[in-house]
């Protein structure tokens, strides 16, 4: 089934969002017929179900993958065939859906995944550079979760998002698995969001070259899940796997370069490497 404004919804995963979430949801509700918010045990959400906005509240934090799968299930039950998934802090443009639908029409017959190109706030650049005058979707290997247009039934047929990943590399693994099941993966040629990749960036210069200052637990999931994904899909996507391996080296160098929580971050990194290599990825 092709995607249209009548059969596509938005899914937003939240966990202790900032006060601007209401504004972002309002911008989405002006574009989408329905918004499914799946909240992972926030102490304060500031949103209630009303009109186009549906809210599911989890008593515990089940992770990004589990929450996305709940959103997909709720949307499918209400008859939606397509969804665009969002992080709670992404700033969508007012033309996001209209532009995505126009670009999706250029991709032909589903299945396909289409990501929204975005301005990376931390790195002060576009996620994907576009040649002047190029209006076609840009082929990509993977996309980030936020701003990803996907066919709901296809996503669920291939197993949905990996719930055991909990937070990091869920988007990369899903895209690689979708591609191996025949989906095309592309990104819009037009920027449609503002989004901040990573945690508290130590400096823009170092952010480009080395690591961001994620807390130790987040660092653990980053490392473990990258290795799991390489184990699962590296043979099919060797260049992607090589880039991810180099990213891990950069993360390690970044931790050595900065003192804050160095011991804790290094311990989490080593544990992530160990579990990534020697624990089953259930793939």
């Amino acid at each position: 089934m092709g995607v249209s404004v009548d059969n596509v919804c938005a899914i937003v995963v939240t966990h202790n969002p900032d006060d601007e979430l209401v504004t972002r949801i309002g911008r989405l509700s002006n574009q989408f017929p329905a918004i499914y918010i799946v909240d992972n045990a926030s102490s304060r959400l500031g949103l209630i179900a009303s009109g186009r906005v549906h809210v599911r509240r989890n008593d515990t934090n089940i992770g990004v993958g589990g929450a996305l799968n709940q959103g997909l299930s709720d949307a499918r039950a209400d008859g939606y065939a397509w969804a665009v998934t969002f992080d709670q802090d992404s700033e969508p443009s007012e033309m996001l859906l209209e532009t995505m639908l126009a670009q999706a029409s250029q991709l032909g017959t589903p299945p396909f995944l289409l990501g929204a190109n975005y301005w990376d706030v931390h790195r002060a650049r576009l996620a994907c550079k576009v040649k002047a005058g190029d209006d076609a979707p840009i082929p990509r290997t993977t996309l980030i979760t936020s701003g990803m247009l996907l066919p709901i039934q296809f996503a669920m047929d291939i197993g949905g998002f990996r719930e055991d990943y909990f937070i990091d590399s869920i988007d990369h693994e899903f895209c690689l698995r979708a591609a191996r099941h025949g989906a095309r993966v592309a990104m819009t040629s037009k920027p449609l969001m503002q989004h901040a990749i990573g945690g508290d960036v130590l400096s823009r210069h170092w952010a480009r070259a080395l690591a961001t200052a994620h807390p130790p637990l987040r660092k653990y999931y980053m490392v473990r899940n990258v290795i799991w994904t390489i184990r699962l899909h590296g043979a099919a996507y060797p260049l992607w796997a090589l880039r991810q391996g180099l990213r891990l080296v950069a993360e390690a160098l970044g931790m050595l370069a900065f003192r804050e929580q160095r011991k804790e971050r290094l311990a989490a990194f080593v544990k992530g490497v160990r579990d990534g290599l020697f624990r089953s990825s259930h793939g």
Side-chain angles (χ1 to χ4, degrees):
M1 178 185 295
V3 57
S4 68
V5 70
D6 296 322
N7 67 3
V8 60
C9 66
I11 298 174
V12 184
V13 176
T14 59
H15 177 66
N16 294 327
D18 62 31
D19 293 336
E20 294 302 312
L21 177 66
V22 174
T23 300
R24 298 182 194 111
I25 296 302
R27 192 172 297 137
L28 291 177
S29 67
N30 289 333
Q31 303 179 56
F32 291 85
I35 298 93
Y36 293 86
I37 297 172
V38 184
D39 181 69
N40 273 334
S42 292
S43 57
R44 180 178 63 88
L45 182 59
L47 283 170
I48 59 174
S50 62
R52 300 182 177 190
V53 179
H54 308 264
V55 180
R56 176 198 279 257
R57 299 176 186 265
N58 291 318
D59 293 331
T60 59
N61 187 350
I62 65 172
V64 174
L68 287 170
N69 289 337
Q70 288 180 335
L72 291 174
S73 179
D74 291 346
R76 183 180 65 171
D78 287 342
Y80 289 97
W82 293 79
V84 182
T85 57
F86 290 97
D87 291 353
Q88 64 185 17
D89 55 353
S90 298
E91 298 281 356
S93 76
E94 295 180 355
M95 300 295 291
L96 181 142
L97 182 58
E98 179 180 336
T99 305
M100 290 198 81
L101 294 181
Q103 298 241 310
S105 67
Q106 301 181 52
L107 291 174
T109 306
F112 57 77
L113 310 178
L114 179 63
N117 204 348
Y118 59 93
W119 179 258
D120 188 330
V121 175
H122 284 161
R123 292 167 175 81
R125 62 172 174 81
L126 279 179
C128 187
K129 294 181 180 179
V130 182
K131 295 180 181 179
D134 191 352
D135 192 43
I138 305 161
R140 303 290 286 176
T141 303
T142 63
L143 306 166
I144 65 169
T145 304
S146 196
M148 184 194 301
L149 171 68
L150 56 85
I152 294 174
Q153 189 61 56
F154 170 79
M156 300 183 78
D157 286 346
I158 66 171
F161 292 89
R162 287 287 297 261
E163 299 187 12
D164 54 342
Y165 273 40
F166 194 75
I167 187 168
D168 273 290
S169 291
I170 293 169
D171 40 16
H172 295 299
E173 194 285 325
F174 176 79
C175 289
L176 296 173
R177 180 159 34 95
R180 295 180 73 177
H181 282 82
R184 282 153 295 158
V185 181
M187 179 175 278
T188 64
S189 56
K190 299 180 184 299
L192 300 175
M193 294 191 311
Q194 290 190 42
H195 184 75
I197 294 289
D200 300 324
V201 177
L202 297 169
S203 77
R204 222 168 247 169
H205 172 74
W206 283 102
R208 291 192 185 108
L210 299 173
T212 51
H214 294 100
L217 182 61
R218 179 77 182 272
K219 188 73 69 179
Y220 165 78
Y221 283 117
M222 288 174 61
V223 175
R224 187 199 67 174
N225 294 352
V226 165
I227 295 174
W228 274 4
T229 308
I230 290 173
R231 287 173 58 189
L232 288 169
H233 304 292
Y237 299 94
L239 291 179
W240 178 90
L242 175 61
R243 288 194 298 269
Q244 293 299 302
L246 293 175
R247 171 191 167 197
L248 291 183
V249 173
E251 290 282 348
L253 292 174
M255 287 183 293
L256 292 172
F258 299 100
R259 293 182 179 180
E260 186 180 356
Q261 286 191 298
R262 179 189 294 171
K263 182 178 179 180
E264 293 84 355
R265 288 194 177 106
L266 284 172
F269 187 95
V270 170
K271 184 181 179 186
V273 170
R274 183 195 65 197
D275 289 352
L277 290 174
F278 301 112
R279 285 183 60 187
S280 172
S281 58
H282 306 293

